[in-house]
Amino acid sequence: MKKTLEGKWALVTGSSRGIGRQIAIGLAELQCNVIVHGRELEHTHETLEIVQQKGVDALAVGAALDSEAGVAKLIAAVEGKEIDILYNNAAINCSSTPVFEFDQATWQKIFQVNVFAVTQLCNAFGPGMKSRNWGRIVNVSSGICDQPNLAPYSVSKAAIDKLTRDLAFEFKDTAVRVNAIDPGWIRTDLGGPDAWESVDTVLPGMLAPVLVADKGANGEYFQAQQFRFFE
Ligand SMILES: NC(=O)c1ccc[n+]([C@@H]2O[C@H](COP(=O)([O-])OP(=O)(O)OC[C@H]3O[C@@H](n4cnc5c(N)ncnc54)[C@H](OP(=O)(O)O)[C@@H]3O)[C@@H](O)[C@H]2O)c1
């Protein structure tokens, strides 16, 4: 029997392009209603159209996550909607730099988008999931390692992994599940042209942490590429 998410609402950050767009499409194919997000509303149009063609309800929000106010704008734009699935996908990378030469502004910018925005969104939507006793939070991580030249990015993903485990403990007695997932090295704007895999290969794996059972995986680290041959 094919699983369905009919009637649920998912917010997928950074779904205007790249991996986030695939996640939005995959969710819509499971009949999940989707909130598409990008920095600017214009960036979201193409994904929104694809998602709507799947026959689900969808809306789009433009909000930069590089400030607390920007994140608040996203939260305010979906006020009144019960978010069942929060897919924290948006992130930025830094330019390759010798590790001791990263300035404070770079660390702060990367952590704002990749970590602080995620905590702000979890604060906004996690308590509602807990009180309704159902929810899924998925935090997109990375398998990056041994690249000190990208330390602010990789350290931000380590923070995401730890946050995921802390939140999982908070939700352990509920039907809210929170997990992290590594999409693999993917040819997107962030991954670059030399990456190993095309963007469509993130499905169906990126849906796995959404489809876990209510008493299933919590605080775990998924790898999307492992699901490619098991649909
Ligand atoms: N690609 C890889 O190889 C790879 C590997 C491991 C992990 N990941 C992770 O996978 C996730 C998606 O990556 P991707 O490769 O799909 O990236 P991408 O192609 O660069 O897309 C980034 C998405 O995030 C949004 N975004 C960027 N900066 C933002 C900001 N300041 N505020 C709000 N939204 C912002 C973009 O919106 P706009 O279109 O409006 O700019 C876009 O929708 C990230 O968490 C990344 O760390 C990727």
Side-chain angles (χ1 to χ4, degrees), residues 14 16-17 19 39 43 65 89 91 141 153 157 184-186 188:
S16 52
R17 57 191 161 99
I19 293 164
R39 282 174 303 158
H43 300 175
L65 304 180
N89 166 75
S141 185
Y153 175 77
K157 293 300 187 181
W185 190 23
I186 311 296
T188 61

Side-chain angles (χ1 to χ4, degrees), residues 1 5 12 17 29 66 69 90 98-99 125 133 159-160 186 206:
M1 190 180 72
L5 296 168
V12 186
R17 57 191 161 99
E29 285 174 346
D66 52 12
V99 65
F125 302 117
N133 196 35
I160 281 296
I186 311 296
M206 295 304 273

Side-chain angles (χ1 to χ4, degrees), residues 217-231:
N218 193 31
E220 300 292 332
Y221 184 89
F222 287 68
Q223 290 176 293
Q225 296 296 320
Q226 290 190 342
F227 291 82
R228 273 174 72 183
F229 307 107
F230 294 100
E231 199 174 15

